[in-house]
Amino acid sequence: MSHTNQTLGEFIIENQSEFKYSSGELSRLINSIRLAAKVVNHEVNKAGLVDILGAAGDINAQGEDQQKLDVYANQKFIQTLTKRNIVCGIASEEEDDFISINSQDEQNQNKYVVLIDPLDGSSNIDVNVSVGTIFSIYRRVTPVGTPVVLEDFLQKGNKQVAAGYIVYGTSTMIVYTTGHGVNGFTLNPAIGTFYLSHPNMRFPETGQIYSVNEGNYVHFPQGVKNYIKYCQEEEDDRPYTSRYIGSLVSDFHRNMIKGGIYLYPQSSKYPDGKLRLLYECNPMAFLAEQAHGLASDGYGRIMEIEPTALHQRVPLFCGSRKMVQMLEKFMATEV
Ligand code: P6P
């Protein structure tokens, strides 16, 4: 099949055989994420009408409780994944504990668990800046048919079977990997179909964009301070450009297309970093490495970190290979 104008649905079917474990379950899982993405996208696109439609806590025109968009997004993804009986467990930034899906029901022979950040960067919604959904998919490690346990979720990033994000930006895109490269699909809102618009996405080996909240500079480790100063020096291809949207998915997406590095270091405010390992850093790390980039905690691969808690935080430095390697050099020689 010619790949021009291939839809996400066609792409999933055509590439299903690549995934040797797939009994079609993973394909149905990606399809259900696609559906939830369209539902959330519709609501996110109305966010600017809060004054007309009502803010969270208000009663909207349909007499329903107006929900905060991150709560709404969380519910939509959980409902979509649960109703289709595709997964055996879900963990979410919006849920204190993981959700076990009718595991007592013998019918539930599903083998995948999903971890999600349903609406990352949601504080940007009020100012009409792009936000995203991030998802990470694992095969469970405990026996199929039994209730999932924490161990099914606390898996290293290098065990992920799929990961991706939806960016609700000037256009809405799904970008994901199943370990065979990274592909991006853009939604045609007129007909509600995602089309393959960015096949085989790759980070340029280096770049000239660094993305960090420089307002926290004084709290950064010395190695990060030294790297930021390096970015700002007038030498070789520097000074670099500073671009920070405040939405991980958007900064990552731009850097993957143009080349660049995203940094969320540890600081006195966030001693372990701000971003969550399991449903932000690991999926973005899987995508980064599949796109020939790197994702590090400053000292080693994000995807080698042994998880210890569902909502644990880690520092994240990800993007173009040579830029992340340079950052790691500064972290190793910080004085
Ligand atoms: P700060 C959004 O809250 C987020 O998790 C990422 O999407 C974003 O890159 C970062 O935090 C922004 O954090 O502290 O710079 O506002």
Side-chain angles (χ1 to χ4, degrees), residues 249-269:
V249 166
S250 303
D251 282 313
F252 182 98
H253 188 76
R254 180 208 50 247
N255 292 348
M256 182 157 60
I257 292 169
K258 297 192 169 202
I261 182 173
Y262 170 93
L263 308 93
Y264 209 102
Q266 59 275 45
S267 66
S268 46
K269 184 179 174 187

PDB file of all heavy atoms in Angstrom, residues 249-269:
ATOM      1  N   VAL A 249       5.241  17.464  26.207  1.00  0.00           N
ATOM      2  CA  VAL A 249       4.949  16.847  24.905  1.00  0.00           C
ATOM      3  C   VAL A 249       5.285  17.818  23.770  1.00  0.00           C
ATOM      4  O   VAL A 249       5.879  17.440  22.761  1.00  0.00           O
ATOM      5  CB  VAL A 249       3.469  16.404  24.865  1.00  0.00           C
ATOM      6  CG1 VAL A 249       3.023  16.081  23.456  1.00  0.00           C
ATOM      7  CG2 VAL A 249       3.254  15.199  25.775  1.00  0.00           C
ATOM      8  N   SER A 250       4.898  19.086  23.948  1.00  0.00           N
ATOM      9  CA  SER A 250       5.122  20.079  22.884  1.00  0.00           C
ATOM     10  C   SER A 250       6.600  20.392  22.701  1.00  0.00           C
ATOM     11  O   SER A 250       7.096  20.473  21.573  1.00  0.00           O
ATOM     12  CB  SER A 250       4.353  21.365  23.212  1.00  0.00           C
ATOM     13  OG  SER A 250       2.983  21.066  23.383  1.00  0.00           O
ATOM     14  N   ASP A 251       7.335  20.564  23.810  1.00  0.00           N
ATOM     15  CA  ASP A 251       8.775  20.833  23.698  1.00  0.00           C
ATOM     16  C   ASP A 251       9.497  19.638  23.078  1.00  0.00           C
ATOM     17  O   ASP A 251      10.345  19.807  22.189  1.00  0.00           O
ATOM     18  CB  ASP A 251       9.369  21.145  25.087  1.00  0.00           C
ATOM     19  CG  ASP A 251       9.068  22.579  25.539  1.00  0.00           C
ATOM     20  OD1 ASP A 251       9.267  23.507  24.724  1.00  0.00           O
ATOM     21  OD2 ASP A 251       8.620  22.759  26.686  1.00  0.00           O
ATOM     22  N   PHE A 252       9.110  18.435  23.515  1.00  0.00           N
ATOM     23  CA  PHE A 252       9.722  17.210  22.970  1.00  0.00           C
ATOM     24  C   PHE A 252       9.448  17.097  21.467  1.00  0.00           C
ATOM     25  O   PHE A 252      10.352  16.842  20.658  1.00  0.00           O
ATOM     26  CB  PHE A 252       9.138  15.993  23.710  1.00  0.00           C
ATOM     27  CG  PHE A 252       9.699  14.660  23.290  1.00  0.00           C
ATOM     28  CD1 PHE A 252      10.703  14.049  24.035  1.00  0.00           C
ATOM     29  CD2 PHE A 252       9.220  13.987  22.168  1.00  0.00           C
ATOM     30  CE1 PHE A 252      11.217  12.801  23.674  1.00  0.00           C
ATOM     31  CE2 PHE A 252       9.731  12.755  21.788  1.00  0.00           C
ATOM     32  CZ  PHE A 252      10.724  12.158  22.549  1.00  0.00           C
ATOM     33  N   HIS A 253       8.188  17.346  21.095  1.00  0.00           N
ATOM     34  CA  HIS A 253       7.771  17.197  19.688  1.00  0.00           C
ATOM     35  C   HIS A 253       8.543  18.168  18.796  1.00  0.00           C
ATOM     36  O   HIS A 253       9.086  17.790  17.758  1.00  0.00           O
ATOM     37  CB  HIS A 253       6.260  17.442  19.582  1.00  0.00           C
ATOM     38  CG  HIS A 253       5.668  17.138  18.245  1.00  0.00           C
ATOM     39  ND1 HIS A 253       5.433  15.858  17.810  1.00  0.00           N
ATOM     40  CD2 HIS A 253       5.285  17.964  17.237  1.00  0.00           C
ATOM     41  CE1 HIS A 253       4.906  15.902  16.593  1.00  0.00           C
ATOM     42  NE2 HIS A 253       4.810  17.162  16.222  1.00  0.00           N
ATOM     43  N   ARG A 254       8.648  19.420  19.214  1.00  0.00           N
ATOM     44  CA  ARG A 254       9.377  20.422  18.416  1.00  0.00           C
ATOM     45  C   ARG A 254      10.858  20.021  18.298  1.00  0.00           C
ATOM     46  O   ARG A 254      11.445  20.048  17.219  1.00  0.00           O
ATOM     47  CB  ARG A 254       9.279  21.815  19.052  1.00  0.00           C
ATOM     48  CG  ARG A 254      10.030  22.899  18.244  1.00  0.00           C
ATOM     49  CD  ARG A 254      10.519  24.054  19.098  1.00  0.00           C
ATOM     50  NE  ARG A 254      11.236  23.591  20.260  1.00  0.00           N
ATOM     51  CZ  ARG A 254      10.778  23.759  21.508  1.00  0.00           C
ATOM     52  NH1 ARG A 254       9.638  24.380  21.736  1.00  0.00           N
ATOM     53  NH2 ARG A 254      11.472  23.281  22.532  1.00  0.00           N
ATOM     54  N   ASN A 255      11.434  19.597  19.441  1.00  0.00           N
ATOM     55  CA  ASN A 255      12.859  19.233  19.422  1.00  0.00           C
ATOM     56  C   ASN A 255      13.123  18.005  18.551  1.00  0.00           C
ATOM     57  O   ASN A 255      14.175  17.886  17.928  1.00  0.00           O
ATOM     58  CB  ASN A 255      13.375  18.992  20.845  1.00  0.00           C
ATOM     59  CG  ASN A 255      13.418  20.274  21.669  1.00  0.00           C
ATOM     60  OD1 ASN A 255      13.274  21.381  21.127  1.00  0.00           O
ATOM     61  ND2 ASN A 255      13.612  20.140  22.972  1.00  0.00           N
ATOM     62  N   MET A 256      12.143  17.081  18.508  1.00  0.00           N
ATOM     63  CA  MET A 256      12.328  15.875  17.670  1.00  0.00           C
ATOM     64  C   MET A 256      12.341  16.279  16.184  1.00  0.00           C
ATOM     65  O   MET A 256      13.063  15.694  15.377  1.00  0.00           O
ATOM     66  CB  MET A 256      11.230  14.849  17.939  1.00  0.00           C
ATOM     67  CG  MET A 256      11.391  13.553  17.152  1.00  0.00           C
ATOM     68  SD  MET A 256      10.559  12.152  17.896  1.00  0.00           S
ATOM     69  CE  MET A 256       8.865  12.713  17.903  1.00  0.00           C
ATOM     70  N   ILE A 257      11.599  17.270  15.835  1.00  0.00           N
ATOM     71  CA  ILE A 257      11.545  17.707  14.431  1.00  0.00           C
ATOM     72  C   ILE A 257      12.735  18.608  14.095  1.00  0.00           C
ATOM     73  O   ILE A 257      13.386  18.450  13.058  1.00  0.00           O
ATOM     74  CB  ILE A 257      10.210  18.420  14.143  1.00  0.00           C
ATOM     75  CG1 ILE A 257       9.050  17.398  14.217  1.00  0.00           C
ATOM     76  CG2 ILE A 257      10.234  19.115  12.785  1.00  0.00           C
ATOM     77  CD1 ILE A 257       7.677  18.023  14.205  1.00  0.00           C
ATOM     78  N   LYS A 258      13.078  19.526  15.009  1.00  0.00           N
ATOM     79  CA  LYS A 258      14.109  20.530  14.698  1.00  0.00           C
ATOM     80  C   LYS A 258      15.490  20.192  15.283  1.00  0.00           C
ATOM     81  O   LYS A 258      16.492  20.811  14.908  1.00  0.00           O
ATOM     82  CB  LYS A 258      13.663  21.893  15.225  1.00  0.00           C
ATOM     83  CG  LYS A 258      12.398  22.411  14.554  1.00  0.00           C
ATOM     84  CD  LYS A 258      12.153  23.857  14.870  1.00  0.00           C
ATOM     85  CE  LYS A 258      11.036  24.426  13.963  1.00  0.00           C
ATOM     86  NZ  LYS A 258      11.103  25.896  13.841  1.00  0.00           N
ATOM     87  N   GLY A 259      15.532  19.298  16.253  1.00  0.00           N
ATOM     88  CA  GLY A 259      16.783  19.049  16.976  1.00  0.00           C
ATOM     89  C   GLY A 259      16.800  19.888  18.242  1.00  0.00           C
ATOM     90  O   GLY A 259      16.453  21.079  18.200  1.00  0.00           O
ATOM     91  N   GLY A 260      17.167  19.274  19.353  1.00  0.00           N
ATOM     92  CA  GLY A 260      17.215  20.038  20.603  1.00  0.00           C
ATOM     93  C   GLY A 260      17.235  19.117  21.809  1.00  0.00           C
ATOM     94  O   GLY A 260      17.157  17.889  21.666  1.00  0.00           O
ATOM     95  N   ILE A 261      17.324  19.737  22.982  1.00  0.00           N
ATOM     96  CA  ILE A 261      17.343  18.995  24.248  1.00  0.00           C
ATOM     97  C   ILE A 261      16.345  19.617  25.200  1.00  0.00           C
ATOM     98  O   ILE A 261      16.212  20.843  25.276  1.00  0.00           O
ATOM     99  CB  ILE A 261      18.763  18.984  24.863  1.00  0.00           C
ATOM    100  CG1 ILE A 261      18.799  18.158  26.168  1.00  0.00           C
ATOM    101  CG2 ILE A 261      19.276  20.399  25.108  1.00  0.00           C
ATOM    102  CD1 ILE A 261      20.200  17.953  26.738  1.00  0.00           C
ATOM    103  N   TYR A 262      15.607  18.729  25.906  1.00  0.00           N
ATOM    104  CA  TYR A 262      14.661  19.153  26.949  1.00  0.00           C
ATOM    105  C   TYR A 262      15.278  18.788  28.291  1.00  0.00           C
ATOM    106  O   TYR A 262      15.793  17.674  28.460  1.00  0.00           O
ATOM    107  CB  TYR A 262      13.328  18.428  26.773  1.00  0.00           C
ATOM    108  CG  TYR A 262      12.368  18.615  27.915  1.00  0.00           C
ATOM    109  CD1 TYR A 262      11.419  19.625  27.903  1.00  0.00           C
ATOM    110  CD2 TYR A 262      12.412  17.768  29.040  1.00  0.00           C
ATOM    111  CE1 TYR A 262      10.543  19.802  28.957  1.00  0.00           C
ATOM    112  CE2 TYR A 262      11.549  17.948  30.107  1.00  0.00           C
ATOM    113  CZ  TYR A 262      10.610  18.959  30.060  1.00  0.00           C
ATOM    114  OH  TYR A 262       9.746  19.128  31.107  1.00  0.00           O
ATOM    115  N   LEU A 263      15.240  19.727  29.231  1.00  0.00           N
ATOM    116  CA  LEU A 263      15.828  19.464  30.547  1.00  0.00           C
ATOM    117  C   LEU A 263      14.832  19.753  31.657  1.00  0.00           C
ATOM    118  O   LEU A 263      14.265  20.842  31.698  1.00  0.00           O
ATOM    119  CB  LEU A 263      17.060  20.360  30.779  1.00  0.00           C
ATOM    120  CG  LEU A 263      18.173  20.396  29.742  1.00  0.00           C
ATOM    121  CD1 LEU A 263      17.952  21.531  28.728  1.00  0.00           C
ATOM    122  CD2 LEU A 263      19.534  20.600  30.401  1.00  0.00           C
ATOM    123  N   TYR A 264      14.560  18.753  32.508  1.00  0.00           N
ATOM    124  CA  TYR A 264      13.886  19.038  33.767  1.00  0.00           C
ATOM    125  C   TYR A 264      14.746  18.467  34.891  1.00  0.00           C
ATOM    126  O   TYR A 264      14.575  17.319  35.298  1.00  0.00           O
ATOM    127  CB  TYR A 264      12.441  18.542  33.872  1.00  0.00           C
ATOM    128  CG  TYR A 264      11.679  19.463  34.805  1.00  0.00           C
ATOM    129  CD1 TYR A 264      10.823  20.431  34.320  1.00  0.00           C
ATOM    130  CD2 TYR A 264      11.938  19.456  36.189  1.00  0.00           C
ATOM    131  CE1 TYR A 264      10.200  21.341  35.158  1.00  0.00           C
ATOM    132  CE2 TYR A 264      11.338  20.356  37.033  1.00  0.00           C
ATOM    133  CZ  TYR A 264      10.483  21.307  36.525  1.00  0.00           C
ATOM    134  OH  TYR A 264       9.888  22.221  37.364  1.00  0.00           O
ATOM    135  N   PRO A 265      15.689  19.261  35.403  1.00  0.00           N
ATOM    136  CA  PRO A 265      16.670  18.765  36.383  1.00  0.00           C
ATOM    137  C   PRO A 265      16.075  18.624  37.786  1.00  0.00           C
ATOM    138  O   PRO A 265      14.991  19.135  38.063  1.00  0.00           O
ATOM    139  CB  PRO A 265      17.746  19.855  36.394  1.00  0.00           C
ATOM    140  CG  PRO A 265      17.415  20.791  35.287  1.00  0.00           C
ATOM    141  CD  PRO A 265      15.954  20.653  35.021  1.00  0.00           C
ATOM    142  N   GLN A 266      16.819  17.973  38.646  1.00  0.00           N
ATOM    143  CA  GLN A 266      16.503  17.995  40.059  1.00  0.00           C
ATOM    144  C   GLN A 266      16.829  19.396  40.567  1.00  0.00           C
ATOM    145  O   GLN A 266      17.603  20.121  39.950  1.00  0.00           O
ATOM    146  CB  GLN A 266      17.291  16.929  40.822  1.00  0.00           C
ATOM    147  CG  GLN A 266      18.812  17.048  40.733  1.00  0.00           C
ATOM    148  CD  GLN A 266      19.390  16.374  39.501  1.00  0.00           C
ATOM    149  OE1 GLN A 266      18.854  16.530  38.391  1.00  0.00           O
ATOM    150  NE2 GLN A 266      20.472  15.650  39.676  1.00  0.00           N
ATOM    151  N   SER A 267      16.164  19.813  41.634  1.00  0.00           N
ATOM    152  CA  SER A 267      16.440  21.143  42.182  1.00  0.00           C
ATOM    153  C   SER A 267      16.064  21.131  43.665  1.00  0.00           C
ATOM    154  O   SER A 267      15.548  20.127  44.159  1.00  0.00           O
ATOM    155  CB  SER A 267      15.585  22.185  41.449  1.00  0.00           C
ATOM    156  OG  SER A 267      14.207  21.947  41.750  1.00  0.00           O
ATOM    157  N   SER A 268      16.280  22.223  44.337  1.00  0.00           N
ATOM    158  CA  SER A 268      15.923  22.251  45.766  1.00  0.00           C
ATOM    159  C   SER A 268      14.398  22.130  45.907  1.00  0.00           C
ATOM    160  O   SER A 268      13.886  21.541  46.840  1.00  0.00           O
ATOM    161  CB  SER A 268      16.416  23.560  46.409  1.00  0.00           C
ATOM    162  OG  SER A 268      16.074  24.650  45.578  1.00  0.00           O
ATOM    163  N   LYS A 269      13.680  22.638  44.872  1.00  0.00           N
ATOM    164  CA  LYS A 269      12.201  22.542  44.928  1.00  0.00           C
ATOM    165  C   LYS A 269      11.762  21.112  44.619  1.00  0.00           C
ATOM    166  O   LYS A 269      10.831  20.591  45.215  1.00  0.00           O
ATOM    167  CB  LYS A 269      11.609  23.536  43.922  1.00  0.00           C
ATOM    168  CG  LYS A 269      10.086  23.617  43.929  1.00  0.00           C
ATOM    169  CD  LYS A 269       9.607  24.651  42.903  1.00  0.00           C
ATOM    170  CE  LYS A 269       8.084  24.681  42.769  1.00  0.00           C
ATOM    171  NZ  LYS A 269       7.654  25.564  41.654  1.00  0.00           N
TER     172      LYS A 269
END
